[in-house]
Amino acid sequence: MLKKSKKEGNLLNKKIKITLWILGILVYLFLFGLAAKSYIFSNVYADFSMPEEIIAEGSGERIEVVIEVKNKTIHNINSADNYFLSYHLYDSEGRMISFDNVRTPIPGIMPGRTKEIEMLVDVPENEGNYIIETDIVKENEYWFSDKGNGTAKSRLTVKGS
């Protein structure tokens, strides 16, 4: 009788361990699912950091502005997959001058990583003050800002030609 009780006790312990193990896996999967859902539907694909002010000494030229881009997606962002860094140009009052501008190739930013990219900017022909709004475009599909992603803005001062 004693052997049977010990055997039953071992079986019960084994069942409890298996049940706890399965319960742990289910809790992990539930929490992972919540985190993934939050991440996927957060509408944050990239963060941008750029200088507050850009000064261009000559009008009508092409300059490079260093932009720091952090990839907040779950996949690599690169131009091989049709992602490009670009900008929208506004006058000093915030009125749109040009929406589609020169594209700067993105060499590849892994998820969670940050990279400095020298964004190409075509300086307006006229002297004055402008606003540049940095964004990423998936060519022929969408701009990140169309999906709710934030952008970065900088003042552009054009001096002479």
Side-chain angles (χ1 to χ4, degrees):
M1 190 84 163
L2 183 59
K3 283 188 176 186
K4 190 173 185 184
S5 295
K6 191 173 183 181
K7 190 175 184 182
E8 286 175 353
N10 286 339
L11 186 59
L12 182 61
N13 283 340
K14 200 174 206 179
K15 286 182 180 181
I16 290 172
K17 286 180 183 178
I18 291 171
T19 303
L20 289 174
W21 189 76
I22 290 171
L23 184 61
I25 289 174
L26 291 174
V27 168
Y28 173 80
L29 290 173
F30 176 75
L31 292 175
F32 179 79
L34 283 178
K37 179 183 173 196
S38 169
Y39 185 77
I40 290 168
F41 295 107
S42 68
N43 293 337
V44 177
Y45 302 103
D47 282 337
F48 305 103
S49 179
M50 62 189 293
E52 285 185 32
E53 184 171 19
I54 302 160
I55 298 175
E57 295 297 333
S59 60
E61 64 184 10
R62 180 170 281 178
I63 62 172
E64 293 178 342
V65 177
V66 176
I67 309 293
E68 191 174 271
V69 181
K70 180 172 185 177
N71 180 354
K72 298 188 98 176
T73 69
I74 57 174
H75 58 83
N76 192 17
I77 296 176
N78 63 63
S79 294
D81 293 326
N82 255 356
Y83 292 98
F84 295 89
L85 189 61
S86 190
Y87 63 95
H88 313 300
L89 184 66
Y90 302 87
D91 67 15
S92 61
E93 303 297 317
R95 292 180 294 258
M96 177 72 66
I97 294 175
S98 62
F99 186 80
D100 272 331
N101 293 288
V102 64
R103 305 302 201 246
T104 301
I106 298 174
I109 309 170
M110 298 299 290
R113 300 292 180 138
T114 300
K115 190 171 275 191
E116 283 188 354
I117 300 173
E118 293 179 348
M119 182 175 74
L120 302 172
V121 174
D122 289 335
V123 177
E125 293 290 332
N126 299 323
E127 289 183 29
N129 297 310
Y130 300 88
I131 300 168
I132 292 178
E133 181 180 32
T134 302
D135 203 349
I136 290 180
V137 61
K138 179 147 191 201
E139 205 62 60
N140 299 315
E141 292 190 39
Y142 58 87
W143 292 83
F144 277 20
S145 59
D146 291 342
K147 301 283 188 176
N149 193 78
T151 59
K153 293 183 180 180
S154 181
R155 293 184 308 278
L156 170 64
T157 301
V158 179
K159 297 181 176 184
S161 33

